[in-house]
Amino acid sequence: MRLPSEIDEDSIFAMGQFLAKYSARNIARAEDQNFWVGTGAATGVNGTVEGLTYSTITNSKVTQMASTKTKYSDATLANLRAIRAVVDAPAIGMGAYYMHQSFEPHLSGLNTAGDKPYQANGLGGATLDGFPIRWIDIMPAYSTSANVSKVFALFGDPSYQYLGVRGGIRFDTSKEAGFATDENLVRALERFTIGLMANGAVSGLETAAS
């Protein structure tokens, strides 16, 4: 982060607090990226360990939709119910659905005159067949385009996926690096890892391969 010296010295706002909050939000997003959708490819922000949308495929804990059903919009109520049968029994008691909030209209459309499994519930939180739905901003967003062999919805108990922080957040600053432009350079670093302690704790709904 680059902070011009005049802003640091003359701002009526506490720039230190602003940078700390800005860093915290971005670090939290990096944690979510790795925890939920990290590819394990060690490129960019993907980390070296697979997030849940990839590890469920690796661990064969997925329900794949029928052939030609390559779009997230193809997901049916039967598909969403089927992934509950994939997790181990202990995970069902604390089980919940995890998906991007843009799926809300699609889930609402699954209700029929005689069957209303989806309930928005306002501040009480949405449910599907009585199981809570947790809206995860980093999860794949609803789409009507083809996305082959992708997990886009999860069910289970992700508390079995740990987030291990090593040493806390470290802030480094340098005036010398930004000397030519009269800037203070600030860097926030956090070392962490993730790991799934029980392969059967979480299952995923995967689009068809073709």
Side-chain angles (χ1 to χ4, degrees):
M1 296 169 285
R2 293 179 174 272
L3 177 63
S5 296
E6 63 270 23
I7 293 180
D8 184 31
E9 296 168 359
D10 300 338
S11 175
I12 62 173
F13 301 103
M15 294 307 299
Q17 292 183 16
F18 170 81
L19 290 177
K21 292 177 181 178
Y22 178 82
S23 299
R25 287 193 297 269
N26 282 276
I27 287 173
R29 186 168 183 83
E31 292 173 347
D32 283 348
Q33 169 77 26
N34 283 269
F35 190 95
W36 297 102
V37 299
T39 66
T43 57
V45 294
N46 284 305
T48 57
V49 183
E50 290 180 335
L52 289 171
T53 56
Y54 284 83
S55 64
T56 48
I57 297 176
T58 300
N59 298 327
S60 300
K61 292 297 180 180
V62 293
T63 292
Q64 190 170 51
M65 298 195 299
S67 179
T68 74
K69 303 301 182 181
T70 60
K71 304 173 183 177
Y72 301 156
S73 56
D74 291 328
T76 65
L77 179 58
N79 294 148
L80 291 166
R81 285 172 169 168
I83 61 175
R84 300 205 301 258
V86 181
V87 297
D88 293 345
I92 296 178
M94 296 296 291
Y97 285 95
Y98 297 84
M99 62 189 78
H100 192 272
Q101 57 269 24
S102 57
F103 276 86
E104 201 280 336
H106 180 73
L107 297 179
S108 181
L110 300 179
N111 289 346
T112 63
D115 189 10
K116 292 181 170 56
Y118 172 73
Q119 298 293 323
N121 298 326
L123 294 177
T127 60
L128 183 67
D129 288 340
F131 290 95
I133 300 173
R134 313 296 186 202
W135 305 121
I136 307 297
D137 185 60
I138 204 72
M139 290 277 287
Y142 179 82
S143 173
T144 57
S145 301
N147 289 280
V148 299
S149 300
K150 298 291 185 182
V151 168
F152 59 94
L154 299 168
F155 176 83
D157 184 356
S159 68
Y160 286 92
Q161 170 111 314
Y162 66 80
L163 175 65
V165 177
R166 300 176 175 177
I169 300 173
R170 188 183 85 223
F171 285 88
D172 296 329
T173 62
S174 174
K175 293 184 177 181
E176 290 75 14
F179 179 80
T181 53
D182 194 25
E183 293 176 307
N184 298 320
L185 274 58
V186 183
R187 178 176 63 189
L189 296 175
E190 180 188 50
R191 295 176 62 236
F192 67 90
T193 188
I194 60 172
L196 187 58
M197 297 179 287
N199 291 348
V202 180
S203 60
L205 181 56
E206 182 183 13
T207 55
S210 61

